[in-house]
Amino acid sequence: MRVHVPYLTLKEIERSADELLAQYSAAHGALGGAIDVDFVIERMLGLELAVMDLKGLLGNPDVLGATVVDQERVYVDQSLEKNPGRFSFTLAHEVGHWVLHRPHLATHPEGSALFDLSEFVEPQPATAPGRKPRVEWQADQFAACLLMPGKLVRAAVHDAFGGRLPTWEGIQSRLQARQLDPTFIDVAAQVIAAGCFDNVSNTAMRIRLLDLKLVVDASDPQRSLL
């Protein structure tokens, strides 16, 4: 079975995440702080969550999470238990697959036991080298929107920086050179603390701040706001 992956904009993905967050708020309480992804998986979606040696089971040292559709079960590799940020993001990534991609599997009468990403294909041209497949990019974006809702991140930036966007030089150049940016790491840490995003990694927050255009490169302020 081969399933076409539809194109989705970031706004469309965020809208799907916001719909789930609205349901979460109604069931769990007002949004604020860390999103309880276990609650989303087990109480809202009715899925079973299993933490185990997934890498050993699948014989793949790179796998961190998987969803078995017909068992309604989400698996996460036990190695992530010591890394709350990666653990939560992996769970949210699997939620993204369930929300965004499971309906496309369900339209095929033959069904699918394992949520196998190899079943999903992109229209030509094929994925460029170094770029994530569309199905993975979409799940990553959904996870970011779910764990770091835009309105909460914006509020945290406001609280941390007094209503001004964090601005410093060299953001773009360091990103292009794949260099660590100590200022950016500190900015992300302040936003995490201000918003009580206790289950979000610094790396994930930096990416989210870029996507939301909440940091400004003083070296090229116009470009940073594009």
Side-chain angles (χ1 to χ4, degrees):
M1 178 176 67
R2 303 292 278 172
V3 183
H4 172 69
V5 183
Y7 174 78
L8 294 173
T9 66
L10 180 54
K11 286 186 178 181
E12 290 173 320
I13 294 171
E14 187 149 23
R15 190 177 304 120
S16 293
D18 284 345
E19 290 174 358
L20 187 61
L21 284 168
Q23 298 171 31
Y24 172 88
S25 180
H28 191 271
L31 290 180
I35 301 299
D36 187 347
V37 196
D38 292 44
F39 182 89
V40 172
I41 289 175
E42 296 179 322
R43 300 286 296 277
M44 293 178 57
L45 300 181
L47 306 177
E48 183 180 348
L49 176 59
V51 180
M52 60 180 300
D53 180 14
L54 188 60
K55 296 180 180 182
L57 177 67
L58 299 181
N60 183 347
D62 298 321
V63 68
L64 296 176
T67 299
V68 180
V69 174
D70 65 348
Q71 295 180 12
E72 297 187 338
R73 181 178 298 167
V74 173
Y75 291 96
V76 179
D77 190 73
Q78 60 194 18
S79 65
L80 296 182
E81 288 188 292
K82 297 180 180 180
N83 189 332
R86 291 293 300 277
F87 187 90
S88 295
F89 196 88
T90 299
L91 290 184
H93 178 100
E94 295 302 320
V95 172
H97 282 315
W98 186 266
V99 172
L100 299 176
H101 305 130
R102 181 185 60 85
H104 299 291
L105 288 176
T107 61
H108 290 68
E110 62 270 37
S112 175
L114 176 66
F115 195 95
D116 185 356
L117 299 184
S118 67
E119 296 172 339
F120 289 86
V121 295
E122 298 189 34
Q124 296 297 324
T127 302
R131 184 169 65 87
K132 280 191 174 184
R134 179 180 293 174
V135 66
E136 287 288 79
W137 179 86
Q138 291 176 355
D140 276 352
Q141 294 301 319
F142 186 97
C145 294
L146 184 67
L147 292 176
M148 296 165 281
K151 65 179 182 180
L152 296 188
V153 176
R154 291 185 181 93
V157 170
H158 184 278
D159 291 344
F161 298 97
R164 60 181 177 81
L165 294 181
T167 304
W168 69 99
E169 294 188 352
I171 299 175
Q172 300 291 347
S173 61
R174 289 190 181 93
L175 284 172
Q176 292 173 356
R178 297 186 178 182
Q179 296 175 346
L180 285 178
D181 188 335
T183 300
F184 205 172
I185 292 172
D186 181 63
V187 166
Q190 292 185 60
V191 175
I192 288 172
C196 298
F197 295 104
D198 298 332
N199 61 346
V200 170
S201 72
N202 191 283
T203 298
M205 181 56 75
R206 277 179 273 151
I207 295 171
R208 187 66 169 140
L209 290 170
L210 287 170
D211 286 343
L212 293 172
K213 300 178 177 60
L214 292 176
V215 293
V216 179
D217 190 340
S219 307
D220 192 357
Q222 293 303 315
R223 180 180 178 185
S224 67
L225 293 175
L226 292 177

